[in-house]
Structures are given as structure tokens and as C-alpha cells.
Amino acid sequence: MTKPVILTGLRANNDLHIGNYFGAMLPIIDMAKQKSDEFQVNMFIPDLHSFTTPIDHSDLYDQIIHNARLFVAAGLPLDNPEIYLYRQSYVPAHSELTWILDCFTGFGEMSRMTQFKDKSTKLSSDRVSVGLFNYPVLMAADYLLYGASYVPVGDDQTQHLEYGRDIAERMNSRFGELFVVPEPVAKQHEFFGKDQGLRIMDLVNPTKKMSKSDDTGKGVIFLGDDPAEAVKKIMSATTDDKANVAYDPANQPGISNLLDILALLRGKPVQEVAAEFAGESQYGVFKKVVAEEMQAFLQDFQARLVAVDDNSVMAKLESSEAAMNEQANLTLLRVQQAVGLRPKV
Ligand code: TYM
């Protein structure tokens, strides 16, 4: 019997930030380390997703390799054959399945995606690509090809995952059992031991999520940030005038976000961390603790990144890509047969 699959991907444009790290990368790496005997773990770099919005293509290739190295620095073991690390564009079945799923996906269905609405309003209309519009379809192909049951993502991807479940069910009810339907999002959170998807907020504007596309970079802590710079960003994070360190995201979003960050840095529940600061009225004192722990985290992470061996990363990518082409092509063939593109055997 084949093992259930856990899968996630992180786009390759720009450096990754702490939201990406704690929201998607770390949960799957922890899972990979603890459960690779029970699960197949797929970590991939969705390189085709990298230019749904305009980017500078001259450094994309280097960025893709850099991101593979980030997974390793974050603790992904390279010597475990049940853990795969691969680039999406090296497995052409992703693009082929996307086209087929596109033809069973409604225009209205994609138009309702809030991330598309948000991102497209920030661009002039001639820069809003069809790729940005149908990106959730490519994302669905990414996990349906491997029959993934668990797809750890941040809270901003919940709607895309719901679509992925819908299209899998739609195809199954029309053509028979083609796809494993990923678990419902709530069940996935339970599996990863969380009440809900994680959302790290911007440090300057804590009512919006921390995002790679932030132009100033002041509200975002990137994994490659100079640790001293990250200290400054935390010390100048927006707070409030309540003079009380408490976990209350609705009324104290800035302080609550810093508590979330500190809890993640320590790997502890946020309530426990908040209790430690109960009664603290000086935000400077609290911020200093967060800043120092962030500085130590970045120093340690960056030291591990420098030590990553590029040849082993490249060898892992290549062996995983060969294995993933085999797995993905089996699913693709099943779909091609179901829709009439290949003879049924
Ligand atoms: P990307 O690269 O935008 O984000 C990577 C992961 O980081 C999470 N994330 C956050 N989590 C917490 N707080 C934040 N502020 C924050 N910002 C981002 C995202 O939810 C995501 O999990 N579509 C995906 C990439 C992808 C993918 C897939 C993921 C492509 N195909 C298939 C899983 C399965 C994305 O936009 O990633």
C-alpha cells in the first residue's frame, strides 16, 4: 500500500519571510522529520507560480536554487528517500493537468478568489495576467497529481485549497475515482496541531498579512535580513496606546502579532508566552525580548544556510524530480484516459 502524502510548496520569487517559514516550511519539515516512516513528504518549489505577477527574470533561476537551499537550512533531511524536494517545472505533468482542470473550472469560480481580487487591484489592468487568474488551478494540479491528503499552507491559501477539493470531487463524480480529495482544511489544522491557519501580520500595518510583495520591506522580516536590521524592524513595529502586553488580535493587533512571533520562535503556545508578559506595560521591554530572540534565530538560520552543500542539494533535486515524474505521470495518464485523450486499457 502506498503511504499518504503530505505536500507543500513555497514560491521562489524574493527571499522567504518569517510568515512563509513558520506558516508552511517549518510545519512540513517537522512532520517530515517525525513521520517519514508513515507518510511520503513532498516539498517543492512552485517555480511556474513565480511570475504570475511581473518579476525580474534575470535572477529567477538563482532564486529557485536559493530556495531549495533554504529548505535544507530549515532542517529538511536530504538523505531520506521518503522525502522529496523538487522543482515544479521539472515535472511537466503539472502544466498538462492544469490545462485539463482549467476546462472543468468555471470563470466565476476563479473570479471569486479573494487573493486574485486583492493582487489584481494592485496592478494596472494590462499587467494582470491570465496566469494570476488561474493560479489556483495550477496549485490544485500540484497536489492532486500526487494524491496529497495534507497540504500545510498559511491562512491566505484556504480558499485555494477549498477549490482544489471541489475540482477533485467534481472530476471524481464525473469520471470515477481519479483523485485523492485532500482532507478538509479544519481537519488539516487538527493534523498539524493548530486551531487555524497561521497568519503573521505586517509589522508596520498589523491589520494586513506579512507579504513578500511589500514594497518598503519595513513590515516584513526576510530570512536573509541582516539580524541587526531585523532588530530595528521589531523595535519600530506598530503597537497601540493601551500600555498592556496582552493577546487580543482584534483590539491589539500589533502586540498580538509580536506575541505570535515570539511564540513561534520559542515553539510554545501563544497563551503561555502571553502569560509571561501579563501586567507588562512597557512595550519597549517586551519588544526587546522579541527582537533579541529574532536576532538569535536569524543568526543561527543564516549560519546553517552558509553551510549547505550545493552539490547535495542538486543531487536531491534531480533524484526527486525523476521519482516525481514517474508518480505524476501515472495520475496524468489516468486523467488523460478518463477525458478521452488516451485509449483506455
Ligand atoms: P507563497 O510562496 O505565497 O507562500 C508560501 C506559504 O507561506 C504562507 N504564508 C504565510 N503564512 C503565515 N503568515 C503569513 N504572513 C504568510 N504569508 C505567506 C502561505 O500561505 C503559503 O503556505 N500558492 C502557494 C504556493 C503553492 C502551493 C502549491 C502550496 C503553489 N502550489 C501547492 C501548497 C500546495 C503560495 O502562494 O505560496
mmCIF file of all heavy atoms in Angstrom, residues 7-13 16-25 44 46 49 88 115 119 135 138-140 142-143 151-157 160-161 198-201 209-212, ligand 1:
data_model
loop_
_atom_site.group_PDB
_atom_site.id
_atom_site.type_symbol
_atom_site.label_atom_id
_atom_site.label_comp_id
_atom_site.label_asym_id
_atom_site.label_seq_id
_atom_site.Cartn_x
_atom_site.Cartn_y
_atom_site.Cartn_z
ATOM 1 N N LEU A 7 2.168 17.452 1.405
ATOM 2 C CA LEU A 7 2.851 18.225 0.352
ATOM 3 C C LEU A 7 2.710 19.717 0.592
ATOM 4 O O LEU A 7 1.648 20.187 0.991
ATOM 5 C CB LEU A 7 2.206 17.856 -0.990
ATOM 6 C CG LEU A 7 2.620 18.590 -2.258
ATOM 7 C CD1 LEU A 7 2.503 17.658 -3.463
ATOM 8 C CD2 LEU A 7 1.794 19.852 -2.504
ATOM 9 N N THR A 8 3.772 20.450 0.378
ATOM 10 C CA THR A 8 3.619 21.910 0.312
ATOM 11 C C THR A 8 4.680 22.535 -0.577
ATOM 12 O O THR A 8 5.698 21.916 -0.889
ATOM 13 C CB THR A 8 3.615 22.583 1.698
ATOM 14 O OG1 THR A 8 2.913 23.833 1.579
ATOM 15 C CG2 THR A 8 5.003 22.874 2.243
ATOM 16 N N GLY A 9 4.396 23.767 -1.015
ATOM 17 C CA GLY A 9 5.344 24.488 -1.867
ATOM 18 C C GLY A 9 5.432 25.942 -1.446
ATOM 19 O O GLY A 9 4.485 26.498 -0.880
ATOM 20 N N LEU A 10 6.582 26.542 -1.705
ATOM 21 C CA LEU A 10 6.764 27.974 -1.417
ATOM 22 C C LEU A 10 7.345 28.615 -2.658
ATOM 23 O O LEU A 10 8.365 28.139 -3.182
ATOM 24 C CB LEU A 10 7.718 28.161 -0.235
ATOM 25 C CG LEU A 10 7.146 27.697 1.108
ATOM 26 C CD1 LEU A 10 7.666 26.335 1.484
ATOM 27 C CD2 LEU A 10 7.497 28.679 2.204
ATOM 28 N N ARG A 11 6.694 29.663 -3.108
ATOM 29 C CA ARG A 11 7.120 30.309 -4.362
ATOM 30 C C ARG A 11 8.553 30.813 -4.265
ATOM 31 O O ARG A 11 9.037 31.131 -3.184
ATOM 32 C CB ARG A 11 6.206 31.500 -4.674
ATOM 33 C CG ARG A 11 4.989 31.085 -5.473
ATOM 34 C CD ARG A 11 4.158 32.276 -5.780
ATOM 35 N NE ARG A 11 3.873 33.026 -4.565
ATOM 36 C CZ ARG A 11 3.631 34.332 -4.549
ATOM 37 N NH1 ARG A 11 3.642 35.027 -5.647
ATOM 38 N NH2 ARG A 11 3.357 34.934 -3.398
ATOM 39 N N ALA A 12 9.166 30.939 -5.441
ATOM 40 C CA ALA A 12 10.609 31.215 -5.428
ATOM 41 C C ALA A 12 10.976 32.681 -5.606
ATOM 42 O O ALA A 12 12.145 33.007 -5.580
ATOM 43 C CB ALA A 12 11.283 30.401 -6.528
ATOM 44 N N ASN A 13 10.020 33.565 -5.811
ATOM 45 C CA ASN A 13 10.453 34.951 -6.036
ATOM 46 C C ASN A 13 10.681 35.669 -4.709
ATOM 47 O O ASN A 13 9.946 35.471 -3.756
ATOM 48 C CB ASN A 13 9.442 35.726 -6.879
ATOM 49 C CG ASN A 13 8.026 35.472 -6.459
ATOM 50 O OD1 ASN A 13 7.693 34.379 -6.071
ATOM 51 N ND2 ASN A 13 7.211 36.481 -6.510
ATOM 52 N N LEU A 16 12.323 34.369 1.217
ATOM 53 C CA LEU A 16 11.153 33.993 2.011
ATOM 54 C C LEU A 16 11.156 34.789 3.315
ATOM 55 O O LEU A 16 12.210 35.175 3.817
ATOM 56 C CB LEU A 16 11.184 32.501 2.324
ATOM 57 C CG LEU A 16 11.167 31.570 1.113
ATOM 58 C CD1 LEU A 16 11.086 30.118 1.561
ATOM 59 C CD2 LEU A 16 9.994 31.876 0.190
ATOM 60 N N HIS A 17 9.963 35.022 3.854
ATOM 61 C CA HIS A 17 9.885 35.759 5.117
ATOM 62 C C HIS A 17 9.469 34.826 6.252
ATOM 63 O O HIS A 17 9.168 33.640 6.019
ATOM 64 C CB HIS A 17 8.969 36.975 4.985
ATOM 65 C CG HIS A 17 7.574 36.667 4.517
ATOM 66 N ND1 HIS A 17 6.678 35.946 5.269
ATOM 67 C CD2 HIS A 17 6.934 36.980 3.361
ATOM 68 C CE1 HIS A 17 5.544 35.847 4.603
ATOM 69 N NE2 HIS A 17 5.666 36.453 3.437
ATOM 70 N N ILE A 18 9.416 35.373 7.450
ATOM 71 C CA ILE A 18 9.131 34.502 8.604
ATOM 72 C C ILE A 18 7.707 33.937 8.563
ATOM 73 O O ILE A 18 7.450 32.894 9.148
ATOM 74 C CB ILE A 18 9.407 35.209 9.955
ATOM 75 C CG1 ILE A 18 8.627 36.526 10.044
ATOM 76 C CG2 ILE A 18 10.896 35.446 10.148
ATOM 77 C CD1 ILE A 18 8.561 37.070 11.472
ATOM 78 N N GLY A 19 6.782 34.612 7.859
ATOM 79 C CA GLY A 19 5.429 34.056 7.699
ATOM 80 C C GLY A 19 5.487 32.778 6.879
ATOM 81 O O GLY A 19 4.884 31.765 7.229
ATOM 82 N N ASN A 20 6.244 32.808 5.771
ATOM 83 C CA ASN A 20 6.406 31.601 4.941
ATOM 84 C C ASN A 20 7.075 30.490 5.758
ATOM 85 O O ASN A 20 6.704 29.328 5.676
ATOM 86 C CB ASN A 20 7.298 31.864 3.723
ATOM 87 C CG ASN A 20 6.832 32.993 2.839
ATOM 88 O OD1 ASN A 20 7.628 33.827 2.422
ATOM 89 N ND2 ASN A 20 5.546 33.047 2.556
ATOM 90 N N TYR A 21 8.081 30.906 6.505
ATOM 91 C CA TYR A 21 8.873 29.929 7.260
ATOM 92 C C TYR A 21 8.011 29.220 8.311
ATOM 93 O O TYR A 21 7.940 27.997 8.358
ATOM 94 C CB TYR A 21 10.062 30.653 7.913
ATOM 95 C CG TYR A 21 10.936 29.764 8.757
ATOM 96 C CD1 TYR A 21 11.917 28.965 8.177
ATOM 97 C CD2 TYR A 21 10.779 29.708 10.137
ATOM 98 C CE1 TYR A 21 12.720 28.141 8.945
ATOM 99 C CE2 TYR A 21 11.573 28.890 10.920
ATOM 100 C CZ TYR A 21 12.542 28.110 10.317
ATOM 101 O OH TYR A 21 13.327 27.286 11.083
ATOM 102 N N PHE A 22 7.341 30.026 9.151
ATOM 103 C CA PHE A 22 6.568 29.415 10.236
ATOM 104 C C PHE A 22 5.216 28.876 9.761
ATOM 105 O O PHE A 22 4.661 27.961 10.359
ATOM 106 C CB PHE A 22 6.348 30.421 11.377
ATOM 107 C CG PHE A 22 7.601 30.704 12.155
ATOM 108 C CD1 PHE A 22 8.198 31.952 12.121
ATOM 109 C CD2 PHE A 22 8.190 29.708 12.922
ATOM 110 C CE1 PHE A 22 9.352 32.217 12.839
ATOM 111 C CE2 PHE A 22 9.347 29.960 13.644
ATOM 112 C CZ PHE A 22 9.927 31.216 13.603
ATOM 113 N N GLY A 23 4.672 29.485 8.673
ATOM 114 C CA GLY A 23 3.345 29.090 8.210
ATOM 115 C C GLY A 23 3.363 27.811 7.390
ATOM 116 O O GLY A 23 2.425 27.028 7.443
ATOM 117 N N ALA A 24 4.415 27.594 6.616
ATOM 118 C CA ALA A 24 4.381 26.470 5.689
ATOM 119 C C ALA A 24 5.632 25.594 5.762
ATOM 120 O O ALA A 24 5.538 24.372 5.740
ATOM 121 C CB ALA A 24 4.202 26.987 4.265
ATOM 122 N N MET A 25 6.793 26.237 5.846
ATOM 123 C CA MET A 25 8.015 25.450 5.736
ATOM 124 C C MET A 25 8.270 24.596 6.984
ATOM 125 O O MET A 25 8.476 23.380 6.894
ATOM 126 C CB MET A 25 9.179 26.420 5.513
ATOM 127 C CG MET A 25 10.411 25.757 5.014
ATOM 128 S SD MET A 25 11.713 26.977 4.901
ATOM 129 C CE MET A 25 12.014 27.033 3.201
ATOM 130 N N PHE A 44 8.129 21.185 -2.567
ATOM 131 C CA PHE A 44 8.541 21.563 -3.914
ATOM 132 C C PHE A 44 8.592 23.068 -4.070
ATOM 133 O O PHE A 44 8.059 23.818 -3.253
ATOM 134 C CB PHE A 44 7.631 20.903 -4.953
ATOM 135 C CG PHE A 44 6.304 21.574 -5.109
ATOM 136 C CD1 PHE A 44 6.034 22.369 -6.215
ATOM 137 C CD2 PHE A 44 5.320 21.418 -4.148
ATOM 138 C CE1 PHE A 44 4.813 22.991 -6.358
ATOM 139 C CE2 PHE A 44 4.087 22.033 -4.282
ATOM 140 C CZ PHE A 44 3.835 22.817 -5.395
ATOM 141 N N PRO A 46 7.391 25.904 -6.370
ATOM 142 C CA PRO A 46 6.455 26.170 -7.463
ATOM 143 C C PRO A 46 7.018 27.271 -8.368
ATOM 144 O O PRO A 46 6.548 28.398 -8.364
ATOM 145 C CB PRO A 46 5.173 26.619 -6.756
ATOM 146 C CG PRO A 46 5.465 26.653 -5.298
ATOM 147 C CD PRO A 46 6.928 26.459 -5.092
ATOM 148 N N HIS A 49 4.822 29.279 -10.600
ATOM 149 C CA HIS A 49 3.981 30.277 -9.919
ATOM 150 C C HIS A 49 4.723 31.599 -9.704
ATOM 151 O O HIS A 49 4.117 32.572 -9.278
ATOM 152 C CB HIS A 49 3.579 29.767 -8.530
ATOM 153 C CG HIS A 49 2.410 28.835 -8.529
ATOM 154 N ND1 HIS A 49 2.545 27.484 -8.370
ATOM 155 C CD2 HIS A 49 1.088 29.057 -8.660
ATOM 156 C CE1 HIS A 49 1.345 26.915 -8.386
ATOM 157 N NE2 HIS A 49 0.455 27.844 -8.571
ATOM 158 N N GLN A 88 8.823 22.402 -9.618
ATOM 159 C CA GLN A 88 7.572 22.148 -10.351
ATOM 160 C C GLN A 88 7.802 22.044 -11.854
ATOM 161 O O GLN A 88 7.289 21.140 -12.514
ATOM 162 C CB GLN A 88 6.650 23.331 -10.032
ATOM 163 C CG GLN A 88 5.300 23.370 -10.657
ATOM 164 C CD GLN A 88 4.637 24.696 -10.312
ATOM 165 O OE1 GLN A 88 5.278 25.747 -10.338
ATOM 166 N NE2 GLN A 88 3.367 24.645 -9.966
ATOM 167 N N GLN A 115 -7.697 36.302 -3.219
ATOM 168 C CA GLN A 115 -6.302 36.687 -3.471
ATOM 169 C C GLN A 115 -6.153 37.285 -4.871
ATOM 170 O O GLN A 115 -5.412 38.243 -5.060
ATOM 171 C CB GLN A 115 -5.377 35.488 -3.297
ATOM 172 C CG GLN A 115 -3.966 35.970 -3.051
ATOM 173 C CD GLN A 115 -2.988 34.845 -2.823
ATOM 174 O OE1 GLN A 115 -2.641 34.117 -3.742
ATOM 175 N NE2 GLN A 115 -2.525 34.706 -1.602
ATOM 176 N N LYS A 119 -4.732 41.002 -5.419
ATOM 177 C CA LYS A 119 -3.494 41.228 -6.181
ATOM 178 C C LYS A 119 -3.786 41.984 -7.463
ATOM 179 O O LYS A 119 -2.989 42.824 -7.890
ATOM 180 C CB LYS A 119 -2.816 39.902 -6.500
ATOM 181 C CG LYS A 119 -2.168 39.279 -5.284
ATOM 182 C CD LYS A 119 -1.208 38.185 -5.668
ATOM 183 C CE LYS A 119 -0.480 37.659 -4.438
ATOM 184 N NZ LYS A 119 0.350 36.503 -4.718
ATOM 185 N N TYR A 135 -4.123 30.696 -11.296
ATOM 186 C CA TYR A 135 -3.088 30.128 -10.441
ATOM 187 C C TYR A 135 -3.612 29.070 -9.454
ATOM 188 O O TYR A 135 -2.965 28.044 -9.241
ATOM 189 C CB TYR A 135 -2.393 31.325 -9.804
ATOM 190 C CG TYR A 135 -1.936 31.278 -8.398
ATOM 191 C CD1 TYR A 135 -0.568 31.185 -8.128
ATOM 192 C CD2 TYR A 135 -2.818 31.392 -7.333
ATOM 193 C CE1 TYR A 135 -0.122 31.192 -6.823
ATOM 194 C CE2 TYR A 135 -2.373 31.397 -6.038
ATOM 195 C CZ TYR A 135 -1.025 31.289 -5.788
ATOM 196 O OH TYR A 135 -0.583 31.279 -4.509
ATOM 197 N N LEU A 138 -3.418 25.630 -11.158
ATOM 198 C CA LEU A 138 -2.066 25.045 -11.152
ATOM 199 C C LEU A 138 -1.740 24.518 -9.753
ATOM 200 O O LEU A 138 -1.176 23.434 -9.587
ATOM 201 C CB LEU A 138 -1.043 26.104 -11.596
ATOM 202 C CG LEU A 138 0.434 25.721 -11.593
ATOM 203 C CD1 LEU A 138 0.721 24.495 -12.441
ATOM 204 C CD2 LEU A 138 1.300 26.897 -12.092
ATOM 205 N N MET A 139 -2.153 25.277 -8.748
ATOM 206 C CA MET A 139 -1.894 24.847 -7.368
ATOM 207 C C MET A 139 -2.616 23.525 -7.078
ATOM 208 O O MET A 139 -2.064 22.631 -6.433
ATOM 209 C CB MET A 139 -2.358 25.957 -6.418
ATOM 210 C CG MET A 139 -2.148 25.649 -4.977
ATOM 211 S SD MET A 139 -2.325 27.131 -3.966
ATOM 212 C CE MET A 139 -2.508 26.366 -2.360
ATOM 213 N N ALA A 140 -3.847 23.384 -7.576
ATOM 214 C CA ALA A 140 -4.586 22.132 -7.354
ATOM 215 C C ALA A 140 -3.869 20.975 -8.057
ATOM 216 O O ALA A 140 -3.704 19.890 -7.486
ATOM 217 C CB ALA A 140 -6.020 22.263 -7.861
ATOM 218 N N ASP A 142 -0.819 20.713 -8.549
ATOM 219 C CA ASP A 142 0.395 20.418 -7.774
ATOM 220 C C ASP A 142 0.174 19.324 -6.743
ATOM 221 O O ASP A 142 1.068 18.510 -6.490
ATOM 222 C CB ASP A 142 0.890 21.670 -7.025
ATOM 223 C CG ASP A 142 1.354 22.772 -7.946
ATOM 224 O OD1 ASP A 142 1.701 22.471 -9.096
ATOM 225 O OD2 ASP A 142 1.356 23.949 -7.497
ATOM 226 N N TYR A 143 -1.000 19.327 -6.086
ATOM 227 C CA TYR A 143 -1.163 18.268 -5.073
ATOM 228 C C TYR A 143 -2.012 17.108 -5.561
ATOM 229 O O TYR A 143 -1.837 15.989 -5.105
ATOM 230 C CB TYR A 143 -1.652 18.820 -3.720
ATOM 231 C CG TYR A 143 -2.779 19.802 -3.747
ATOM 232 C CD1 TYR A 143 -4.095 19.371 -3.798
ATOM 233 C CD2 TYR A 143 -2.544 21.166 -3.700
ATOM 234 C CE1 TYR A 143 -5.141 20.286 -3.801
ATOM 235 C CE2 TYR A 143 -3.571 22.078 -3.713
ATOM 236 C CZ TYR A 143 -4.867 21.650 -3.765
ATOM 237 O OH TYR A 143 -5.894 22.547 -3.783
ATOM 238 N N VAL A 151 -1.999 19.310 3.062
ATOM 239 C CA VAL A 151 -1.295 20.373 2.345
ATOM 240 C C VAL A 151 -1.149 21.558 3.314
ATOM 241 O O VAL A 151 -2.014 22.437 3.355
ATOM 242 C CB VAL A 151 -2.096 20.795 1.085
ATOM 243 C CG1 VAL A 151 -1.342 21.832 0.269
ATOM 244 C CG2 VAL A 151 -2.421 19.581 0.211
ATOM 245 N N PRO A 152 -0.109 21.578 4.127
ATOM 246 C CA PRO A 152 0.014 22.684 5.085
ATOM 247 C C PRO A 152 0.304 24.006 4.378
ATOM 248 O O PRO A 152 1.284 24.108 3.639
ATOM 249 C CB PRO A 152 1.196 22.272 5.978
ATOM 250 C CG PRO A 152 1.968 21.296 5.171
ATOM 251 C CD PRO A 152 1.011 20.629 4.237
ATOM 252 N N VAL A 153 -0.564 24.964 4.580
ATOM 253 C CA VAL A 153 -0.382 26.298 3.994
ATOM 254 C C VAL A 153 -0.826 27.326 5.016
ATOM 255 O O VAL A 153 -1.511 26.985 5.982
ATOM 256 C CB VAL A 153 -1.211 26.488 2.699
ATOM 257 C CG1 VAL A 153 -0.599 25.779 1.514
ATOM 258 C CG2 VAL A 153 -2.652 26.044 2.889
ATOM 259 N N GLY A 154 -0.470 28.571 4.795
ATOM 260 C CA GLY A 154 -0.944 29.651 5.657
ATOM 261 C C GLY A 154 -2.413 29.923 5.367
ATOM 262 O O GLY A 154 -2.998 29.411 4.397
ATOM 263 N N ASP A 155 -2.971 30.721 6.232
ATOM 264 C CA ASP A 155 -4.394 31.034 6.187
ATOM 265 C C ASP A 155 -4.832 31.659 4.852
ATOM 266 O O ASP A 155 -5.949 31.447 4.389
ATOM 267 C CB ASP A 155 -4.589 31.999 7.379
ATOM 268 C CG ASP A 155 -5.853 32.757 7.358
ATOM 269 O OD1 ASP A 155 -6.873 32.098 7.529
ATOM 270 O OD2 ASP A 155 -5.821 33.974 7.169
ATOM 271 N N ASP A 156 -3.919 32.381 4.187
ATOM 272 C CA ASP A 156 -4.288 33.057 2.927
ATOM 273 C C ASP A 156 -4.575 32.061 1.792
ATOM 274 O O ASP A 156 -5.132 32.450 0.766
ATOM 275 C CB ASP A 156 -3.172 34.019 2.492
ATOM 276 C CG ASP A 156 -1.842 33.306 2.289
ATOM 277 O OD1 ASP A 156 -1.475 32.469 3.130
ATOM 278 O OD2 ASP A 156 -1.177 33.579 1.283
ATOM 279 N N GLN A 157 -4.204 30.795 1.973
ATOM 280 C CA GLN A 157 -4.398 29.825 0.889
ATOM 281 C C GLN A 157 -5.624 28.938 1.101
ATOM 282 O O GLN A 157 -5.880 28.027 0.311
ATOM 283 C CB GLN A 157 -3.152 28.927 0.775
ATOM 284 C CG GLN A 157 -1.878 29.664 0.441
ATOM 285 C CD GLN A 157 -1.942 30.298 -0.941
ATOM 286 O OE1 GLN A 157 -2.456 29.716 -1.879
ATOM 287 N NE2 GLN A 157 -1.451 31.523 -1.054
ATOM 288 N N HIS A 160 -8.053 28.668 -1.810
ATOM 289 C CA HIS A 160 -7.495 27.906 -2.926
ATOM 290 C C HIS A 160 -7.592 26.401 -2.654
ATOM 291 O O HIS A 160 -7.878 25.611 -3.550
ATOM 292 C CB HIS A 160 -6.031 28.295 -3.164
ATOM 293 C CG HIS A 160 -5.866 29.727 -3.575
ATOM 294 N ND1 HIS A 160 -4.668 30.378 -3.525
ATOM 295 C CD2 HIS A 160 -6.763 30.633 -4.036
ATOM 296 C CE1 HIS A 160 -4.825 31.626 -3.941
ATOM 297 N NE2 HIS A 160 -6.090 31.800 -4.243
ATOM 298 N N LEU A 161 -7.358 26.036 -1.403
ATOM 299 C CA LEU A 161 -7.453 24.607 -1.049
ATOM 300 C C LEU A 161 -8.885 24.110 -1.168
ATOM 301 O O LEU A 161 -9.122 22.976 -1.591
ATOM 302 C CB LEU A 161 -6.998 24.404 0.390
ATOM 303 C CG LEU A 161 -5.567 24.030 0.645
ATOM 304 C CD1 LEU A 161 -5.384 23.674 2.115
ATOM 305 C CD2 LEU A 161 -5.174 22.817 -0.197
ATOM 306 N N LEU A 198 -2.043 29.739 10.042
ATOM 307 C CA LEU A 198 -1.268 30.821 10.647
ATOM 308 C C LEU A 198 -1.270 32.051 9.746
ATOM 309 O O LEU A 198 -1.239 31.935 8.531
ATOM 310 C CB LEU A 198 0.165 30.317 10.821
ATOM 311 C CG LEU A 198 1.109 31.260 11.513
ATOM 312 C CD1 LEU A 198 0.773 31.353 12.987
ATOM 313 C CD2 LEU A 198 2.530 30.758 11.337
ATOM 314 N N ARG A 199 -1.299 33.220 10.359
ATOM 315 C CA ARG A 199 -1.187 34.450 9.591
ATOM 316 C C ARG A 199 -0.313 35.422 10.373
ATOM 317 O O ARG A 199 -0.755 36.011 11.361
ATOM 318 C CB ARG A 199 -2.584 35.039 9.349
ATOM 319 C CG ARG A 199 -2.549 36.359 8.602
ATOM 320 C CD ARG A 199 -3.931 36.834 8.275
ATOM 321 N NE ARG A 199 -4.530 36.011 7.230
ATOM 322 C CZ ARG A 199 -5.141 36.524 6.155
ATOM 323 N NH1 ARG A 199 -5.225 37.822 5.979
ATOM 324 N NH2 ARG A 199 -5.673 35.743 5.262
ATOM 325 N N ILE A 200 0.924 35.536 9.946
ATOM 326 C CA ILE A 200 1.805 36.536 10.562
ATOM 327 C C ILE A 200 1.504 37.860 9.865
ATOM 328 O O ILE A 200 1.418 37.922 8.639
ATOM 329 C CB ILE A 200 3.287 36.158 10.345
ATOM 330 C CG1 ILE A 200 3.610 34.835 11.031
ATOM 331 C CG2 ILE A 200 4.223 37.245 10.854
ATOM 332 C CD1 ILE A 200 3.629 34.908 12.520
ATOM 333 N N MET A 201 1.350 38.905 10.676
ATOM 334 C CA MET A 201 0.949 40.179 10.110
ATOM 335 C C MET A 201 2.160 41.074 9.847
ATOM 336 O O MET A 201 3.247 40.871 10.391
ATOM 337 C CB MET A 201 -0.035 40.889 11.055
ATOM 338 C CG MET A 201 -1.201 40.015 11.500
ATOM 339 S SD MET A 201 -2.080 39.228 10.137
ATOM 340 C CE MET A 201 -3.223 40.508 9.705
ATOM 341 N N LYS A 209 -1.575 41.020 6.150
ATOM 342 C CA LYS A 209 -0.614 39.938 6.384
ATOM 343 C C LYS A 209 0.782 40.313 5.890
ATOM 344 O O LYS A 209 0.916 41.102 4.952
ATOM 345 C CB LYS A 209 -1.098 38.637 5.754
ATOM 346 C CG LYS A 209 -0.909 38.565 4.288
ATOM 347 C CD LYS A 209 -0.953 37.141 3.761
ATOM 348 C CE LYS A 209 -0.613 37.229 2.287
ATOM 349 N NZ LYS A 209 0.128 36.191 1.704
ATOM 350 N N MET A 210 1.773 39.769 6.536
ATOM 351 C CA MET A 210 3.151 39.970 6.089
ATOM 352 C C MET A 210 3.253 39.361 4.700
ATOM 353 O O MET A 210 2.834 38.225 4.482
ATOM 354 C CB MET A 210 4.092 39.264 7.063
ATOM 355 C CG MET A 210 5.533 39.551 6.821
ATOM 356 S SD MET A 210 6.611 38.809 8.096
ATOM 357 C CE MET A 210 6.503 39.972 9.433
ATOM 358 N N SER A 211 3.788 40.121 3.744
ATOM 359 C CA SER A 211 3.768 39.644 2.368
ATOM 360 C C SER A 211 5.071 39.967 1.653
ATOM 361 O O SER A 211 5.650 41.039 1.847
ATOM 362 C CB SER A 211 2.591 40.331 1.661
ATOM 363 O OG SER A 211 2.741 40.224 0.279
ATOM 364 N N LYS A 212 5.486 39.012 0.785
ATOM 365 C CA LYS A 212 6.719 39.204 0.001
ATOM 366 C C LYS A 212 6.633 40.432 -0.877
ATOM 367 O O LYS A 212 7.631 41.025 -1.229
ATOM 368 C CB LYS A 212 6.907 38.012 -0.945
ATOM 369 C CG LYS A 212 7.424 36.781 -0.313
ATOM 370 C CD LYS A 212 7.558 35.707 -1.388
ATOM 371 C CE LYS A 212 7.176 34.369 -0.801
ATOM 372 N NZ LYS A 212 7.071 33.295 -1.753
HETATM 373 P P1 TYM B 1 3.676 31.607 -1.151
HETATM 374 O O1 TYM B 1 5.041 31.405 -1.636
HETATM 375 O O2 TYM B 1 2.995 32.900 -1.410
HETATM 376 O O3 TYM B 1 3.626 31.369 0.381
HETATM 377 C C1 TYM B 1 4.223 30.201 0.883
HETATM 378 C C2 TYM B 1 3.483 29.755 2.134
HETATM 379 O O4 TYM B 1 3.618 30.746 3.150
HETATM 380 C C3 TYM B 1 2.337 31.039 3.681
HETATM 381 N N1 TYM B 1 2.310 32.450 4.091
HETATM 382 C C4 TYM B 1 2.081 32.835 5.345
HETATM 383 N N2 TYM B 1 1.823 32.160 6.473
HETATM 384 C C5 TYM B 1 1.642 32.874 7.609
HETATM 385 N N3 TYM B 1 1.706 34.234 7.653
HETATM 386 C C6 TYM B 1 1.962 34.956 6.529
HETATM 387 N N4 TYM B 1 2.038 36.279 6.601
HETATM 388 C C7 TYM B 1 2.149 34.265 5.303
HETATM 389 N N5 TYM B 1 2.419 34.654 4.037
HETATM 390 C C8 TYM B 1 2.518 33.526 3.298
HETATM 391 C C9 TYM B 1 1.372 30.783 2.509
HETATM 392 O O5 TYM B 1 0.064 30.539 2.971
HETATM 393 C C10 TYM B 1 1.971 29.557 1.877
HETATM 394 O O6 TYM B 1 1.549 28.392 2.563
HETATM 395 N N6 TYM B 1 0.180 29.129 -3.587
HETATM 396 C C11 TYM B 1 1.263 28.966 -2.662
HETATM 397 C C12 TYM B 1 2.385 28.134 -3.250
HETATM 398 C C13 TYM B 1 1.907 26.858 -3.800
HETATM 399 C C14 TYM B 1 1.462 25.733 -3.091
HETATM 400 C C15 TYM B 1 1.098 24.778 -4.062
HETATM 401 C C16 TYM B 1 1.320 25.467 -1.740
HETATM 402 C C17 TYM B 1 1.837 26.558 -5.130
HETATM 403 N N7 TYM B 1 1.352 25.323 -5.279
HETATM 404 C C18 TYM B 1 0.589 23.537 -3.707
HETATM 405 C C19 TYM B 1 0.826 24.199 -1.383
HETATM 406 C C20 TYM B 1 0.456 23.282 -2.355
HETATM 407 C C21 TYM B 1 1.771 30.339 -2.319
HETATM 408 O O7 TYM B 1 1.241 31.329 -2.711
HETATM 409 O O8 TYM B 1 2.841 30.357 -1.630
#
